Amino acid sequence: MKLVITPIEKEHLSEAQIDRIIEMAWEDRTPFDAIQYQFGLTEAEVKVLMKKELKFSSYKLWRARVEHCNTKHTSKRSASIDRFKCNRQRAISNNKISKR
């Protein structure tokens, strides 16, 4: 059975939101769950978005980095990390999580 990923409708995401998703996807400490919580995109949809928005060489580098990064996947994270962001992180504009 082949996994079918539906294409993301780019119309419902603004340029600022796409930029923020890419920024969050590149951050090692930001899990995909945080992106899903804030923007409603699953890990597979983030991968599709990154493939569309990045140069292919940059996408390959990002994918290799994500595959081996334990902090991007909540299930691989240490049990002691129970938050989406660093407790020392300052508020980031357009970030729902930091405005709690």
Side-chain angles (χ1 to χ4, degrees), residues 85 91-100:
K85 68 178 186 76
I92 297 174
S93 61
N94 301 324
N95 189 350
K96 293 178 188 176
I97 297 168
S98 65
K99 295 181 181 179
R100 287 187 190 185

Side-chain angles (χ1 to χ4, degrees), residues 12-27:
H12 79 278
L13 294 173
S14 69
E15 285 297 317
Q17 289 174 320
I18 291 171
D19 288 343
R20 182 64 186 134
I21 292 167
I22 292 171
E23 182 181 354
M24 291 174 77
W26 269 105
E27 294 169 350

